[in-house]
Amino acid sequence: MKDKLKIFGILTLLMVSIYFIATYLRVGEINNIQQINKNFKITTGVVIKKSVQKGNHIWIRYNVNGNIYVESDGFLESQKVNVGDIIKVKYSIDKPELMITEFNEYF
């Protein structure tokens, strides 16, 4: 019986930890999107890498005031994008490393 309680306690602790980590990450993502939408510009970028393992992500290289940034964003499988494509990027004027692409639902 004690072993079952230990296993139950460990599983409960693990699930609660995963919940709080996921919540923390989501809040950070929402804050970044709000930061971008508060004061932004739109430019173009080039897709330099595409990954469809463990989620769909693209890495985009874009230029802001002579500085080159490489950042990533997600996309849906139904959205056709390939390495070398030129896409729209919305970035924060205050923090140009914060960006979302035209494939993001908050664009």
Side-chain angles (χ1 to χ4, degrees), residues 32-45 60 62 64 71 73 87-93 95-107:
N32 287 344
I33 290 170
Q34 288 174 342
Q35 174 81 23
I36 293 166
N37 286 326
K38 182 170 55 172
N39 191 15
F40 67 88
K41 282 192 176 180
I42 295 177
T43 188
T44 58
I60 301 93
Y62 59 103
V64 176
E71 301 294 337
D73 197 11
I87 63 171
K88 292 179 185 174
V89 175
K90 180 193 281 188
Y91 67 91
S92 167
I93 292 173
K95 292 180 77 177
E97 66 273 13
L98 296 180
M99 68 87 187
I100 54 176
T101 68
E102 64 184 83
F103 301 112
N104 191 300
E105 66 181 300
Y106 298 104
F107 189 81

PDB file of all heavy atoms in Angstrom, residues 32-45 60 62 64 71 73 87-93 95-107:
ATOM      1  N   ASN A  32       5.247  37.948 -25.187  1.00  0.00           N
ATOM      2  CA  ASN A  32       6.036  38.323 -26.366  1.00  0.00           C
ATOM      3  C   ASN A  32       5.140  38.806 -27.497  1.00  0.00           C
ATOM      4  O   ASN A  32       5.453  39.801 -28.158  1.00  0.00           O
ATOM      5  CB  ASN A  32       6.887  37.135 -26.837  1.00  0.00           C
ATOM      6  CG  ASN A  32       8.051  36.853 -25.917  1.00  0.00           C
ATOM      7  OD1 ASN A  32       8.428  37.680 -25.092  1.00  0.00           O
ATOM      8  ND2 ASN A  32       8.625  35.676 -26.054  1.00  0.00           N
ATOM      9  N   ILE A  33       4.034  38.144 -27.724  1.00  0.00           N
ATOM     10  CA  ILE A  33       3.114  38.552 -28.783  1.00  0.00           C
ATOM     11  C   ILE A  33       2.519  39.927 -28.476  1.00  0.00           C
ATOM     12  O   ILE A  33       2.400  40.774 -29.366  1.00  0.00           O
ATOM     13  CB  ILE A  33       2.022  37.484 -28.998  1.00  0.00           C
ATOM     14  CG1 ILE A  33       2.655  36.244 -29.641  1.00  0.00           C
ATOM     15  CG2 ILE A  33       0.879  38.017 -29.860  1.00  0.00           C
ATOM     16  CD1 ILE A  33       1.763  35.041 -29.683  1.00  0.00           C
ATOM     17  N   GLN A  34       2.176  40.172 -27.225  1.00  0.00           N
ATOM     18  CA  GLN A  34       1.667  41.494 -26.837  1.00  0.00           C
ATOM     19  C   GLN A  34       2.728  42.565 -27.049  1.00  0.00           C
ATOM     20  O   GLN A  34       2.427  43.665 -27.503  1.00  0.00           O
ATOM     21  CB  GLN A  34       1.191  41.470 -25.386  1.00  0.00           C
ATOM     22  CG  GLN A  34      -0.085  40.697 -25.190  1.00  0.00           C
ATOM     23  CD  GLN A  34      -0.480  40.562 -23.730  1.00  0.00           C
ATOM     24  OE1 GLN A  34       0.336  40.750 -22.822  1.00  0.00           O
ATOM     25  NE2 GLN A  34      -1.738  40.222 -23.492  1.00  0.00           N
ATOM     26  N   GLN A  35       3.980  42.245 -26.718  1.00  0.00           N
ATOM     27  CA  GLN A  35       5.092  43.185 -26.920  1.00  0.00           C
ATOM     28  C   GLN A  35       5.237  43.515 -28.404  1.00  0.00           C
ATOM     29  O   GLN A  35       5.414  44.673 -28.775  1.00  0.00           O
ATOM     30  CB  GLN A  35       6.395  42.569 -26.388  1.00  0.00           C
ATOM     31  CG  GLN A  35       7.643  43.374 -26.657  1.00  0.00           C
ATOM     32  CD  GLN A  35       7.844  44.505 -25.688  1.00  0.00           C
ATOM     33  OE1 GLN A  35       7.332  44.472 -24.582  1.00  0.00           O
ATOM     34  NE2 GLN A  35       8.575  45.515 -26.103  1.00  0.00           N
ATOM     35  N   ILE A  36       5.147  42.502 -29.246  1.00  0.00           N
ATOM     36  CA  ILE A  36       5.257  42.718 -30.695  1.00  0.00           C
ATOM     37  C   ILE A  36       4.111  43.586 -31.192  1.00  0.00           C
ATOM     38  O   ILE A  36       4.324  44.576 -31.901  1.00  0.00           O
ATOM     39  CB  ILE A  36       5.271  41.370 -31.447  1.00  0.00           C
ATOM     40  CG1 ILE A  36       6.549  40.592 -31.134  1.00  0.00           C
ATOM     41  CG2 ILE A  36       5.120  41.590 -32.952  1.00  0.00           C
ATOM     42  CD1 ILE A  36       6.495  39.140 -31.554  1.00  0.00           C
ATOM     43  N   ASN A  37       2.881  43.253 -30.821  1.00  0.00           N
ATOM     44  CA  ASN A  37       1.710  43.969 -31.333  1.00  0.00           C
ATOM     45  C   ASN A  37       1.571  45.386 -30.786  1.00  0.00           C
ATOM     46  O   ASN A  37       0.853  46.192 -31.360  1.00  0.00           O
ATOM     47  CB  ASN A  37       0.451  43.151 -31.074  1.00  0.00           C
ATOM     48  CG  ASN A  37       0.343  41.959 -31.996  1.00  0.00           C
ATOM     49  OD1 ASN A  37       0.754  42.020 -33.147  1.00  0.00           O
ATOM     50  ND2 ASN A  37      -0.181  40.865 -31.494  1.00  0.00           N
ATOM     51  N   LYS A  38       2.262  45.693 -29.694  1.00  0.00           N
ATOM     52  CA  LYS A  38       2.193  47.028 -29.105  1.00  0.00           C
ATOM     53  C   LYS A  38       2.878  48.068 -29.994  1.00  0.00           C
ATOM     54  O   LYS A  38       2.400  49.191 -30.139  1.00  0.00           O
ATOM     55  CB  LYS A  38       2.829  46.996 -27.715  1.00  0.00           C
ATOM     56  CG  LYS A  38       2.773  48.307 -26.964  1.00  0.00           C
ATOM     57  CD  LYS A  38       3.202  48.169 -25.523  1.00  0.00           C
ATOM     58  CE  LYS A  38       4.577  47.559 -25.407  1.00  0.00           C
ATOM     59  NZ  LYS A  38       5.115  47.577 -24.047  1.00  0.00           N
ATOM     60  N   ASN A  39       4.008  47.710 -30.596  1.00  0.00           N
ATOM     61  CA  ASN A  39       4.792  48.658 -31.379  1.00  0.00           C
ATOM     62  C   ASN A  39       5.602  47.852 -32.386  1.00  0.00           C
ATOM     63  O   ASN A  39       6.664  47.349 -32.055  1.00  0.00           O
ATOM     64  CB  ASN A  39       5.699  49.467 -30.450  1.00  0.00           C
ATOM     65  CG  ASN A  39       6.341  50.640 -31.141  1.00  0.00           C
ATOM     66  OD1 ASN A  39       5.939  51.043 -32.218  1.00  0.00           O
ATOM     67  ND2 ASN A  39       7.370  51.192 -30.516  1.00  0.00           N
ATOM     68  N   PHE A  40       5.110  47.711 -33.613  1.00  0.00           N
ATOM     69  CA  PHE A  40       5.740  46.790 -34.553  1.00  0.00           C
ATOM     70  C   PHE A  40       5.955  47.400 -35.925  1.00  0.00           C
ATOM     71  O   PHE A  40       5.392  48.440 -36.263  1.00  0.00           O
ATOM     72  CB  PHE A  40       4.895  45.523 -34.698  1.00  0.00           C
ATOM     73  CG  PHE A  40       3.568  45.760 -35.370  1.00  0.00           C
ATOM     74  CD1 PHE A  40       3.450  45.693 -36.745  1.00  0.00           C
ATOM     75  CD2 PHE A  40       2.433  46.054 -34.625  1.00  0.00           C
ATOM     76  CE1 PHE A  40       2.227  45.915 -37.368  1.00  0.00           C
ATOM     77  CE2 PHE A  40       1.211  46.272 -35.224  1.00  0.00           C
ATOM     78  CZ  PHE A  40       1.107  46.201 -36.607  1.00  0.00           C
ATOM     79  N   LYS A  41       6.780  46.722 -36.685  1.00  0.00           N
ATOM     80  CA  LYS A  41       6.944  46.973 -38.112  1.00  0.00           C
ATOM     81  C   LYS A  41       6.889  45.625 -38.808  1.00  0.00           C
ATOM     82  O   LYS A  41       7.094  44.590 -38.184  1.00  0.00           O
ATOM     83  CB  LYS A  41       8.287  47.643 -38.415  1.00  0.00           C
ATOM     84  CG  LYS A  41       8.311  49.116 -38.116  1.00  0.00           C
ATOM     85  CD  LYS A  41       9.544  49.754 -38.707  1.00  0.00           C
ATOM     86  CE  LYS A  41       9.485  51.259 -38.482  1.00  0.00           C
ATOM     87  NZ  LYS A  41      10.668  51.932 -39.040  1.00  0.00           N
ATOM     88  N   ILE A  42       6.617  45.682 -40.103  1.00  0.00           N
ATOM     89  CA  ILE A  42       6.588  44.458 -40.902  1.00  0.00           C
ATOM     90  C   ILE A  42       7.692  44.540 -41.943  1.00  0.00           C
ATOM     91  O   ILE A  42       7.890  45.585 -42.577  1.00  0.00           O
ATOM     92  CB  ILE A  42       5.210  44.267 -41.565  1.00  0.00           C
ATOM     93  CG1 ILE A  42       4.141  44.059 -40.480  1.00  0.00           C
ATOM     94  CG2 ILE A  42       5.240  43.086 -42.536  1.00  0.00           C
ATOM     95  CD1 ILE A  42       2.730  43.934 -40.992  1.00  0.00           C
ATOM     96  N   THR A  43       8.419  43.454 -42.065  1.00  0.00           N
ATOM     97  CA  THR A  43       9.475  43.345 -43.059  1.00  0.00           C
ATOM     98  C   THR A  43       9.364  41.980 -43.725  1.00  0.00           C
ATOM     99  O   THR A  43       8.400  41.261 -43.481  1.00  0.00           O
ATOM    100  CB  THR A  43      10.865  43.543 -42.406  1.00  0.00           C
ATOM    101  OG1 THR A  43      11.865  43.623 -43.425  1.00  0.00           O
ATOM    102  CG2 THR A  43      11.196  42.430 -41.433  1.00  0.00           C
ATOM    103  N   THR A  44      10.318  41.644 -44.539  1.00  0.00           N
ATOM    104  CA  THR A  44      10.353  40.314 -45.135  1.00  0.00           C
ATOM    105  C   THR A  44      11.572  39.573 -44.624  1.00  0.00           C
ATOM    106  O   THR A  44      12.570  40.179 -44.217  1.00  0.00           O
ATOM    107  CB  THR A  44      10.394  40.367 -46.672  1.00  0.00           C
ATOM    108  OG1 THR A  44      11.541  41.113 -47.078  1.00  0.00           O
ATOM    109  CG2 THR A  44       9.133  40.979 -47.228  1.00  0.00           C
ATOM    110  N   GLY A  45      11.464  38.269 -44.637  1.00  0.00           N
ATOM    111  CA  GLY A  45      12.570  37.419 -44.231  1.00  0.00           C
ATOM    112  C   GLY A  45      12.637  36.208 -45.136  1.00  0.00           C
ATOM    113  O   GLY A  45      11.713  35.920 -45.886  1.00  0.00           O
ATOM    114  N   ILE A  60      13.794  31.867 -39.697  1.00  0.00           N
ATOM    115  CA  ILE A  60      13.751  32.959 -40.655  1.00  0.00           C
ATOM    116  C   ILE A  60      14.898  33.915 -40.383  1.00  0.00           C
ATOM    117  O   ILE A  60      15.161  34.283 -39.234  1.00  0.00           O
ATOM    118  CB  ILE A  60      12.415  33.734 -40.563  1.00  0.00           C
ATOM    119  CG1 ILE A  60      11.232  32.794 -40.820  1.00  0.00           C
ATOM    120  CG2 ILE A  60      12.367  34.875 -41.547  1.00  0.00           C
ATOM    121  CD1 ILE A  60      10.682  32.216 -39.581  1.00  0.00           C
ATOM    122  N   TYR A  62      16.074  37.713 -41.067  1.00  0.00           N
ATOM    123  CA  TYR A  62      15.532  39.009 -41.473  1.00  0.00           C
ATOM    124  C   TYR A  62      16.449  40.122 -41.000  1.00  0.00           C
ATOM    125  O   TYR A  62      17.248  39.955 -40.075  1.00  0.00           O
ATOM    126  CB  TYR A  62      14.097  39.212 -40.972  1.00  0.00           C
ATOM    127  CG  TYR A  62      13.930  39.152 -39.469  1.00  0.00           C
ATOM    128  CD1 TYR A  62      13.781  40.312 -38.717  1.00  0.00           C
ATOM    129  CD2 TYR A  62      13.905  37.938 -38.797  1.00  0.00           C
ATOM    130  CE1 TYR A  62      13.623  40.261 -37.335  1.00  0.00           C
ATOM    131  CE2 TYR A  62      13.742  37.870 -37.428  1.00  0.00           C
ATOM    132  CZ  TYR A  62      13.610  39.039 -36.704  1.00  0.00           C
ATOM    133  OH  TYR A  62      13.460  38.988 -35.338  1.00  0.00           O
ATOM    134  N   VAL A  64      16.949  44.096 -39.684  1.00  0.00           N
ATOM    135  CA  VAL A  64      16.351  45.282 -39.069  1.00  0.00           C
ATOM    136  C   VAL A  64      17.469  46.290 -38.826  1.00  0.00           C
ATOM    137  O   VAL A  64      18.383  46.031 -38.036  1.00  0.00           O
ATOM    138  CB  VAL A  64      15.646  44.952 -37.734  1.00  0.00           C
ATOM    139  CG1 VAL A  64      15.110  46.215 -37.074  1.00  0.00           C
ATOM    140  CG2 VAL A  64      14.534  43.935 -37.949  1.00  0.00           C
ATOM    141  N   GLU A  71      15.416  33.887 -36.201  1.00  0.00           N
ATOM    142  CA  GLU A  71      14.474  33.453 -35.171  1.00  0.00           C
ATOM    143  C   GLU A  71      13.545  32.404 -35.758  1.00  0.00           C
ATOM    144  O   GLU A  71      13.489  32.221 -36.975  1.00  0.00           O
ATOM    145  CB  GLU A  71      13.663  34.645 -34.637  1.00  0.00           C
ATOM    146  CG  GLU A  71      14.495  35.756 -34.033  1.00  0.00           C
ATOM    147  CD  GLU A  71      15.235  35.370 -32.770  1.00  0.00           C
ATOM    148  OE1 GLU A  71      14.811  34.410 -32.085  1.00  0.00           O
ATOM    149  OE2 GLU A  71      16.250  36.015 -32.467  1.00  0.00           O
ATOM    150  N   ASP A  73       9.580  30.342 -35.725  1.00  0.00           N
ATOM    151  CA  ASP A  73       8.153  30.427 -35.461  1.00  0.00           C
ATOM    152  C   ASP A  73       7.515  29.141 -35.984  1.00  0.00           C
ATOM    153  O   ASP A  73       8.101  28.437 -36.805  1.00  0.00           O
ATOM    154  CB  ASP A  73       7.545  31.654 -36.148  1.00  0.00           C
ATOM    155  CG  ASP A  73       6.180  32.048 -35.598  1.00  0.00           C
ATOM    156  OD1 ASP A  73       5.783  31.519 -34.541  1.00  0.00           O
ATOM    157  OD2 ASP A  73       5.517  32.895 -36.221  1.00  0.00           O
ATOM    158  N   ILE A  87       9.020  35.480 -46.804  1.00  0.00           N
ATOM    159  CA  ILE A  87       7.755  35.613 -46.085  1.00  0.00           C
ATOM    160  C   ILE A  87       7.732  36.917 -45.298  1.00  0.00           C
ATOM    161  O   ILE A  87       8.768  37.549 -45.069  1.00  0.00           O
ATOM    162  CB  ILE A  87       7.519  34.410 -45.137  1.00  0.00           C
ATOM    163  CG1 ILE A  87       8.595  34.339 -44.068  1.00  0.00           C
ATOM    164  CG2 ILE A  87       7.458  33.116 -45.930  1.00  0.00           C
ATOM    165  CD1 ILE A  87       8.303  33.327 -42.977  1.00  0.00           C
ATOM    166  N   LYS A  88       6.535  37.307 -44.856  1.00  0.00           N
ATOM    167  CA  LYS A  88       6.374  38.509 -44.033  1.00  0.00           C
ATOM    168  C   LYS A  88       6.696  38.195 -42.584  1.00  0.00           C
ATOM    169  O   LYS A  88       6.330  37.138 -42.064  1.00  0.00           O
ATOM    170  CB  LYS A  88       4.950  39.036 -44.141  1.00  0.00           C
ATOM    171  CG  LYS A  88       4.609  39.584 -45.497  1.00  0.00           C
ATOM    172  CD  LYS A  88       3.172  40.066 -45.532  1.00  0.00           C
ATOM    173  CE  LYS A  88       2.807  40.493 -46.934  1.00  0.00           C
ATOM    174  NZ  LYS A  88       1.379  40.825 -47.040  1.00  0.00           N
ATOM    175  N   VAL A  89       7.362  39.150 -41.937  1.00  0.00           N
ATOM    176  CA  VAL A  89       7.744  39.037 -40.530  1.00  0.00           C
ATOM    177  C   VAL A  89       7.285  40.303 -39.813  1.00  0.00           C
ATOM    178  O   VAL A  89       7.569  41.410 -40.267  1.00  0.00           O
ATOM    179  CB  VAL A  89       9.285  38.890 -40.387  1.00  0.00           C
ATOM    180  CG1 VAL A  89       9.695  38.893 -38.936  1.00  0.00           C
ATOM    181  CG2 VAL A  89       9.768  37.638 -41.092  1.00  0.00           C
ATOM    182  N   LYS A  90       6.569  40.135 -38.724  1.00  0.00           N
ATOM    183  CA  LYS A  90       6.172  41.260 -37.874  1.00  0.00           C
ATOM    184  C   LYS A  90       7.089  41.213 -36.646  1.00  0.00           C
ATOM    185  O   LYS A  90       7.152  40.202 -35.958  1.00  0.00           O
ATOM    186  CB  LYS A  90       4.723  41.120 -37.432  1.00  0.00           C
ATOM    187  CG  LYS A  90       4.243  42.274 -36.547  1.00  0.00           C
ATOM    188  CD  LYS A  90       2.916  41.972 -35.864  1.00  0.00           C
ATOM    189  CE  LYS A  90       1.743  42.153 -36.763  1.00  0.00           C
ATOM    190  NZ  LYS A  90       0.460  42.045 -36.015  1.00  0.00           N
ATOM    191  N   TYR A  91       7.813  42.302 -36.395  1.00  0.00           N
ATOM    192  CA  TYR A  91       8.759  42.313 -35.282  1.00  0.00           C
ATOM    193  C   TYR A  91       8.515  43.525 -34.383  1.00  0.00           C
ATOM    194  O   TYR A  91       7.959  44.535 -34.794  1.00  0.00           O
ATOM    195  CB  TYR A  91      10.210  42.297 -35.786  1.00  0.00           C
ATOM    196  CG  TYR A  91      10.621  43.555 -36.523  1.00  0.00           C
ATOM    197  CD1 TYR A  91      11.188  44.623 -35.834  1.00  0.00           C
ATOM    198  CD2 TYR A  91      10.438  43.676 -37.897  1.00  0.00           C
ATOM    199  CE1 TYR A  91      11.562  45.773 -36.502  1.00  0.00           C
ATOM    200  CE2 TYR A  91      10.807  44.822 -38.567  1.00  0.00           C
ATOM    201  CZ  TYR A  91      11.371  45.875 -37.862  1.00  0.00           C
ATOM    202  OH  TYR A  91      11.728  47.017 -38.517  1.00  0.00           O
ATOM    203  N   SER A  92       8.971  43.387 -33.149  1.00  0.00           N
ATOM    204  CA  SER A  92       8.861  44.465 -32.177  1.00  0.00           C
ATOM    205  C   SER A  92       9.921  45.523 -32.470  1.00  0.00           C
ATOM    206  O   SER A  92      11.107  45.192 -32.613  1.00  0.00           O
ATOM    207  CB  SER A  92       9.065  43.909 -30.762  1.00  0.00           C
ATOM    208  OG  SER A  92       9.269  44.957 -29.831  1.00  0.00           O
ATOM    209  N   ILE A  93       9.518  46.776 -32.542  1.00  0.00           N
ATOM    210  CA  ILE A  93      10.476  47.857 -32.750  1.00  0.00           C
ATOM    211  C   ILE A  93      11.414  47.955 -31.545  1.00  0.00           C
ATOM    212  O   ILE A  93      12.612  48.200 -31.694  1.00  0.00           O
ATOM    213  CB  ILE A  93       9.745  49.195 -32.998  1.00  0.00           C
ATOM    214  CG1 ILE A  93       9.018  49.124 -34.347  1.00  0.00           C
ATOM    215  CG2 ILE A  93      10.715  50.372 -32.956  1.00  0.00           C
ATOM    216  CD1 ILE A  93       8.125  50.305 -34.638  1.00  0.00           C
ATOM    217  N   LYS A  95      12.228  45.485 -29.376  1.00  0.00           N
ATOM    218  CA  LYS A  95      13.052  44.275 -29.266  1.00  0.00           C
ATOM    219  C   LYS A  95      12.929  43.498 -30.576  1.00  0.00           C
ATOM    220  O   LYS A  95      12.115  42.595 -30.683  1.00  0.00           O
ATOM    221  CB  LYS A  95      12.593  43.406 -28.090  1.00  0.00           C
ATOM    222  CG  LYS A  95      12.834  44.013 -26.727  1.00  0.00           C
ATOM    223  CD  LYS A  95      12.362  43.101 -25.617  1.00  0.00           C
ATOM    224  CE  LYS A  95      13.383  41.986 -25.438  1.00  0.00           C
ATOM    225  NZ  LYS A  95      13.041  41.083 -24.327  1.00  0.00           N
ATOM    226  N   PRO A  96      13.736  43.851 -31.585  1.00  0.00           N
ATOM    227  CA  PRO A  96      13.577  43.247 -32.909  1.00  0.00           C
ATOM    228  C   PRO A  96      13.751  41.729 -32.944  1.00  0.00           C
ATOM    229  O   PRO A  96      13.317  41.091 -33.900  1.00  0.00           O
ATOM    230  CB  PRO A  96      14.665  43.927 -33.750  1.00  0.00           C
ATOM    231  CG  PRO A  96      15.029  45.153 -33.014  1.00  0.00           C
ATOM    232  CD  PRO A  96      14.750  44.886 -31.576  1.00  0.00           C
ATOM    233  N   GLU A  97      14.340  41.156 -31.917  1.00  0.00           N
ATOM    234  CA  GLU A  97      14.470  39.695 -31.881  1.00  0.00           C
ATOM    235  C   GLU A  97      13.144  39.005 -31.592  1.00  0.00           C
ATOM    236  O   GLU A  97      13.014  37.793 -31.768  1.00  0.00           O
ATOM    237  CB  GLU A  97      15.537  39.255 -30.863  1.00  0.00           C
ATOM    238  CG  GLU A  97      15.202  39.557 -29.424  1.00  0.00           C
ATOM    239  CD  GLU A  97      15.611  40.954 -28.952  1.00  0.00           C
ATOM    240  OE1 GLU A  97      15.939  41.822 -29.783  1.00  0.00           O
ATOM    241  OE2 GLU A  97      15.578  41.176 -27.730  1.00  0.00           O
ATOM    242  N   LEU A  98      12.146  39.761 -31.150  1.00  0.00           N
ATOM    243  CA  LEU A  98      10.799  39.222 -30.962  1.00  0.00           C
ATOM    244  C   LEU A  98      10.035  39.389 -32.269  1.00  0.00           C
ATOM    245  O   LEU A  98       9.848  40.504 -32.754  1.00  0.00           O
ATOM    246  CB  LEU A  98      10.066  39.953 -29.840  1.00  0.00           C
ATOM    247  CG  LEU A  98      10.631  39.827 -28.435  1.00  0.00           C
ATOM    248  CD1 LEU A  98       9.779  40.621 -27.459  1.00  0.00           C
ATOM    249  CD2 LEU A  98      10.703  38.374 -28.022  1.00  0.00           C
ATOM    250  N   MET A  99       9.611  38.292 -32.839  1.00  0.00           N
ATOM    251  CA  MET A  99       8.913  38.359 -34.124  1.00  0.00           C
ATOM    252  C   MET A  99       7.924  37.214 -34.250  1.00  0.00           C
ATOM    253  O   MET A  99       8.010  36.215 -33.542  1.00  0.00           O
ATOM    254  CB  MET A  99       9.909  38.340 -35.281  1.00  0.00           C
ATOM    255  CG  MET A  99      10.642  37.032 -35.464  1.00  0.00           C
ATOM    256  SD  MET A  99       9.688  35.926 -36.500  1.00  0.00           S
ATOM    257  CE  MET A  99      10.641  34.440 -36.390  1.00  0.00           C
ATOM    258  N   ILE A 100       6.989  37.409 -35.165  1.00  0.00           N
ATOM    259  CA  ILE A 100       6.077  36.351 -35.595  1.00  0.00           C
ATOM    260  C   ILE A 100       5.993  36.426 -37.115  1.00  0.00           C
ATOM    261  O   ILE A 100       6.190  37.499 -37.701  1.00  0.00           O
ATOM    262  CB  ILE A 100       4.675  36.451 -34.950  1.00  0.00           C
ATOM    263  CG1 ILE A 100       4.046  37.826 -35.163  1.00  0.00           C
ATOM    264  CG2 ILE A 100       4.730  36.094 -33.473  1.00  0.00           C
ATOM    265  CD1 ILE A 100       2.631  37.957 -34.626  1.00  0.00           C
ATOM    266  N   THR A 101       5.698  35.304 -37.725  1.00  0.00           N
ATOM    267  CA  THR A 101       5.622  35.284 -39.186  1.00  0.00           C
ATOM    268  C   THR A 101       4.161  35.354 -39.639  1.00  0.00           C
ATOM    269  O   THR A 101       3.232  35.244 -38.833  1.00  0.00           O
ATOM    270  CB  THR A 101       6.247  33.994 -39.745  1.00  0.00           C
ATOM    271  OG1 THR A 101       5.436  32.884 -39.376  1.00  0.00           O
ATOM    272  CG2 THR A 101       7.669  33.807 -39.265  1.00  0.00           C
ATOM    273  N   GLU A 102       4.000  35.497 -40.922  1.00  0.00           N
ATOM    274  CA  GLU A 102       2.656  35.539 -41.511  1.00  0.00           C
ATOM    275  C   GLU A 102       1.881  34.256 -41.267  1.00  0.00           C
ATOM    276  O   GLU A 102       0.666  34.242 -41.416  1.00  0.00           O
ATOM    277  CB  GLU A 102       2.749  35.809 -43.009  1.00  0.00           C
ATOM    278  CG  GLU A 102       3.457  34.712 -43.781  1.00  0.00           C
ATOM    279  CD  GLU A 102       3.617  35.046 -45.253  1.00  0.00           C
ATOM    280  OE1 GLU A 102       4.574  35.770 -45.582  1.00  0.00           O
ATOM    281  OE2 GLU A 102       2.793  34.589 -46.065  1.00  0.00           O
ATOM    282  N   PHE A 103       2.547  33.193 -40.854  1.00  0.00           N
ATOM    283  CA  PHE A 103       1.872  31.919 -40.582  1.00  0.00           C
ATOM    284  C   PHE A 103       1.325  31.847 -39.160  1.00  0.00           C
ATOM    285  O   PHE A 103       0.596  30.925 -38.830  1.00  0.00           O
ATOM    286  CB  PHE A 103       2.830  30.753 -40.834  1.00  0.00           C
ATOM    287  CG  PHE A 103       3.346  30.723 -42.228  1.00  0.00           C
ATOM    288  CD1 PHE A 103       4.675  30.974 -42.502  1.00  0.00           C
ATOM    289  CD2 PHE A 103       2.493  30.457 -43.297  1.00  0.00           C
ATOM    290  CE1 PHE A 103       5.146  30.950 -43.795  1.00  0.00           C
ATOM    291  CE2 PHE A 103       2.960  30.437 -44.592  1.00  0.00           C
ATOM    292  CZ  PHE A 103       4.298  30.686 -44.849  1.00  0.00           C
ATOM    293  N   ASN A 104       1.679  32.801 -38.342  1.00  0.00           N
ATOM    294  CA  ASN A 104       1.224  32.807 -36.947  1.00  0.00           C
ATOM    295  C   ASN A 104      -0.185  33.398 -36.878  1.00  0.00           C
ATOM    296  O   ASN A 104      -0.471  34.414 -37.509  1.00  0.00           O
ATOM    297  CB  ASN A 104       2.202  33.656 -36.111  1.00  0.00           C
ATOM    298  CG  ASN A 104       1.971  33.514 -34.628  1.00  0.00           C
ATOM    299  OD1 ASN A 104       0.897  33.827 -34.129  1.00  0.00           O
ATOM    300  ND2 ASN A 104       2.995  33.073 -33.926  1.00  0.00           N
ATOM    301  N   GLU A 105      -1.056  32.770 -36.101  1.00  0.00           N
ATOM    302  CA  GLU A 105      -2.446  33.240 -35.999  1.00  0.00           C
ATOM    303  C   GLU A 105      -2.557  34.646 -35.418  1.00  0.00           C
ATOM    304  O   GLU A 105      -3.573  35.312 -35.587  1.00  0.00           O
ATOM    305  CB  GLU A 105      -3.281  32.261 -35.179  1.00  0.00           C
ATOM    306  CG  GLU A 105      -2.863  32.175 -33.716  1.00  0.00           C
ATOM    307  CD  GLU A 105      -3.691  31.167 -32.933  1.00  0.00           C
ATOM    308  OE1 GLU A 105      -4.915  31.340 -32.869  1.00  0.00           O
ATOM    309  OE2 GLU A 105      -3.092  30.216 -32.423  1.00  0.00           O
ATOM    310  N   TYR A 106      -1.531  35.153 -34.745  1.00  0.00           N
ATOM    311  CA  TYR A 106      -1.562  36.498 -34.154  1.00  0.00           C
ATOM    312  C   TYR A 106      -0.949  37.556 -35.047  1.00  0.00           C
ATOM    313  O   TYR A 106      -0.798  38.698 -34.659  1.00  0.00           O
ATOM    314  CB  TYR A 106      -0.850  36.496 -32.790  1.00  0.00           C
ATOM    315  CG  TYR A 106      -1.527  35.595 -31.796  1.00  0.00           C
ATOM    316  CD1 TYR A 106      -0.991  34.354 -31.480  1.00  0.00           C
ATOM    317  CD2 TYR A 106      -2.723  35.968 -31.196  1.00  0.00           C
ATOM    318  CE1 TYR A 106      -1.637  33.507 -30.569  1.00  0.00           C
ATOM    319  CE2 TYR A 106      -3.353  35.143 -30.299  1.00  0.00           C
ATOM    320  CZ  TYR A 106      -2.807  33.911 -29.982  1.00  0.00           C
ATOM    321  OH  TYR A 106      -3.432  33.082 -29.100  1.00  0.00           O
ATOM    322  N   PHE A 107      -0.587  37.189 -36.269  1.00  0.00           N
ATOM    323  CA  PHE A 107       0.019  38.133 -37.208  1.00  0.00           C
ATOM    324  C   PHE A 107      -0.993  39.206 -37.567  1.00  0.00           C
ATOM    325  O   PHE A 107      -0.769  40.322 -37.689  1.00  0.00           O
ATOM    326  CB  PHE A 107       0.493  37.415 -38.463  1.00  0.00           C
ATOM    327  CG  PHE A 107       1.333  38.283 -39.383  1.00  0.00           C
ATOM    328  CD1 PHE A 107       2.674  38.477 -39.109  1.00  0.00           C
ATOM    329  CD2 PHE A 107       0.784  38.899 -40.489  1.00  0.00           C
ATOM    330  CE1 PHE A 107       3.461  39.274 -39.948  1.00  0.00           C
ATOM    331  CE2 PHE A 107       1.537  39.688 -41.322  1.00  0.00           C
ATOM    332  CZ  PHE A 107       2.883  39.877 -41.058  1.00  0.00           C
TER     333      PHE A 107
END
